[in-house]
Amino acid sequence: MLAGGAARGAYEVGVVAYVFQEVARALGRPIPLDILCGTSVGAINACTLAACADDPVRGVDLLVTQWRGLRLEQLVRPNKGELLGLVRSLVTLKRMPVRPGDDRRGGILDATGIERLVEESIPFTRIQDHVRSGRLRALSVSATDVATGKTVVFVEHHAAETPRWSRDPTVVVRHAEIGSQHALASAAVPFLFPAVRIGADFYCDGGLRQNVPLSPARRLGAEGLLVVNPRYIGPVDPAVLAAREASYPGPLFLLGKALNALLLDRIDNDIARLERINEILEAGVRRHGAAFVDDLNGDLGAASRTFELRPLRVVHVRASVDIGNAAGEYVRSPEFAARVPPVVGRLLRSIAEWEGAGEADLLSYLLFDGEFAARLIELGRRDARLRHDELCALFDARLACLA
């Protein structure tokens, strides 16, 4: 399961690369792809891996090449038309009309560069081939319906029937042949990137309600979960706390924290809930015997027709370094100044200063730069290496089931 985080998505690539290269080497066998679930930028990463399900190592190499080749000035550019429309709407208090043929709306940044990269680098037709052949069991991409606010889970599945889902009124499940528009819609962070039209409706970032797609993974039949989380949780530098206390945080600081809350902060709650379910089921088996889980699911199925409860092994890899701090340090470095045009460099350094001393959360979502991505990829590899034994146990259990 690959979560959101815009430019922080490079961290996921490092973790995945470690799994398919180093964990596979330790186990002595390639690691197969079963189910891939992505939200926001995780949807783009998941689609790349799904298109390479026959050779995951090649998929990892493709992801690394894509991320390391990013150029900030090509991907983060102002959308002048939308900016003018936004100002006009604020002045006149009138909504911006949707014109015939509009497939992208909203967002202060021009997404043309990202769209071109996704459409040209990911062979989406191969996803359908892998699903039909059974090489890939399922791929899900979550997005948010702009009109209704509901989470729409687009599912490409090897079976014709819709997987059993919960009765959550805020979630809609749709079978789809997943293409570039689904990945781009899922990654369209509100306010920053434009919403994408799919059919008659506009969709934006799926992380608003479902950043880590735990629910789709469970309902698609996952028995073990690898969750990749680019959110650092740890002590705050005393100097940073002192800077916050010295002056009220500015709007860019608050916007960065708001994006953290929307896109990253719910991961721990979701995983804690899943681990609690595991504890309850394990306690039931100890107390009432091996038939406890089957008996419980029988009663629940008869009463509410919900999905089955079952223990799920979870490995959670999270960032060991504050990526916001790393972004601030990087844009102040000589390496960054040498890579970007002077105007872009001055603008991003100003954003880092406006956010506050030692922190650049907003900037970390926008920093689609190859050198910064390379640093995050290496961080992901290091953090995965710290969980090496757990990762080996997770995938060794899966390989044993396939044997």
Side-chain angles (χ1 to χ4, degrees), residues 210-296:
Q210 189 190 80
N211 188 50
V212 180
L214 290 174
S215 177
R218 294 183 66 185
R219 287 161 175 78
L220 290 168
E223 298 171 353
L225 308 176
L226 169 58
V227 181
V228 186
N229 181 0
R231 178 79 160 106
Y232 168 77
I233 300 292
V236 179
D237 188 332
V240 173
L241 288 175
R244 289 181 191 169
E245 294 170 355
S247 61
Y248 184 78
L252 296 183
F253 172 90
L254 296 175
L255 180 55
K257 297 304 180 187
L259 288 173
N260 284 348
L262 284 172
L263 300 180
L264 298 176
D265 284 353
R266 295 193 304 275
I267 297 177
D268 292 284
N269 291 335
D270 290 343
I271 292 176
R273 188 179 304 112
L274 181 59
E275 290 176 342
R276 184 60 176 163
I277 292 173
N278 284 344
E279 291 172 359
I280 291 171
L281 296 179
E282 290 166 3
V285 170
R286 289 195 302 269
R287 183 84 172 181
H288 301 287
F292 171 78
V293 175
D294 289 338
D295 292 343
L296 178 63

Side-chain angles (χ1 to χ4, degrees), residues 9 28 31 60 91 105 143 146 160 164 184 188 190-191 198 200 203 224 240 245 274 344 351 396:
I31 293 175
V60 166
V91 172
R105 289 309 307 265
V146 173
R164 286 185 293 173
L184 291 167
F191 184 70
I198 301 175
Y203 296 86
V240 173
E245 294 170 355
L274 181 59
V344 175
I351 292 176
D396 191 34

Side-chain angles (χ1 to χ4, degrees), residues 89-356:
S89 295
L90 292 173
V91 172
T92 63
L93 300 180
K94 293 182 179 179
R95 296 181 179 181
M96 299 168 61
V98 177
R99 297 176 296 273
D102 278 351
D103 291 327
R104 307 285 188 272
R105 289 309 307 265
I108 63 172
L109 298 178
D110 184 350
T112 303
I114 292 177
E115 291 174 6
R116 185 181 303 113
L117 177 66
V118 169
E119 291 169 354
E120 293 179 357
S121 62
I122 303 177
F124 283 93
T125 55
R126 298 193 66 193
I127 297 175
Q128 288 88 57
D129 295 339
H130 295 321
V131 171
R132 280 194 295 265
S133 70
R135 184 175 288 112
L136 180 69
R137 287 178 58 189
L139 168 68
S140 80
V141 168
S142 300
T144 301
D145 188 321
V146 173
T148 66
K150 294 182 177 181
T151 297
V152 178
V153 183
F154 295 100
V155 177
E156 190 151 359
H157 194 238
H158 72 287
E161 71 278 4
T162 301
R164 286 185 293 173
W165 228 261
S166 70
R167 294 181 177 180
D168 186 345
T170 67
V171 178
V172 178
V173 183
R174 293 182 184 161
H175 276 287
E177 288 192 356
I178 291 175
S180 61
Q181 71 274 24
H182 299 93
L184 291 167
S186 183
V189 179
F191 184 70
L192 297 181
F193 294 104
V196 177
R197 189 201 293 270
I198 301 175
D201 303 314
F202 281 96
Y203 296 86
C204 66
D205 199 309
L208 297 183
R209 285 185 179 272
Q210 189 190 80
N211 188 50
V212 180
L214 290 174
S215 177
R218 294 183 66 185
R219 287 161 175 78
L220 290 168
E223 298 171 353
L225 308 176
L226 169 58
V227 181
V228 186
N229 181 0
R231 178 79 160 106
Y232 168 77
I233 300 292
V236 179
D237 188 332
V240 173
L241 288 175
R244 289 181 191 169
E245 294 170 355
S247 61
Y248 184 78
L252 296 183
F253 172 90
L254 296 175
L255 180 55
K257 297 304 180 187
L259 288 173
N260 284 348
L262 284 172
L263 300 180
L264 298 176
D265 284 353
R266 295 193 304 275
I267 297 177
D268 292 284
N269 291 335
D270 290 343
I271 292 176
R273 188 179 304 112
L274 181 59
E275 290 176 342
R276 184 60 176 163
I277 292 173
N278 284 344
E279 291 172 359
I280 291 171
L281 296 179
E282 290 166 3
V285 170
R286 289 195 302 269
R287 183 84 172 181
H288 301 287
F292 171 78
V293 175
D294 289 338
D295 292 343
L296 178 63
N297 281 316
D299 290 342
L300 289 174
S304 59
R305 297 179 183 175
T306 57
F307 66 97
E308 289 185 349
L309 291 171
R310 59 189 179 279
L312 292 176
R313 182 191 295 266
V314 181
V315 177
H316 180 198
V317 180
R318 71 154 68 251
S320 60
V321 171
D322 189 323
I323 292 178
N325 287 352
E329 293 173 359
Y330 174 62
V331 299
R332 298 181 182 97
S333 70
E335 293 87 350
F336 180 72
R339 282 183 59 85
V340 299
V343 173
V344 175
R346 285 195 298 270
L347 174 61
L348 293 184
R349 281 190 292 273
S350 296
I351 292 176
E353 296 303 324
W354 291 336
E355 284 200 73

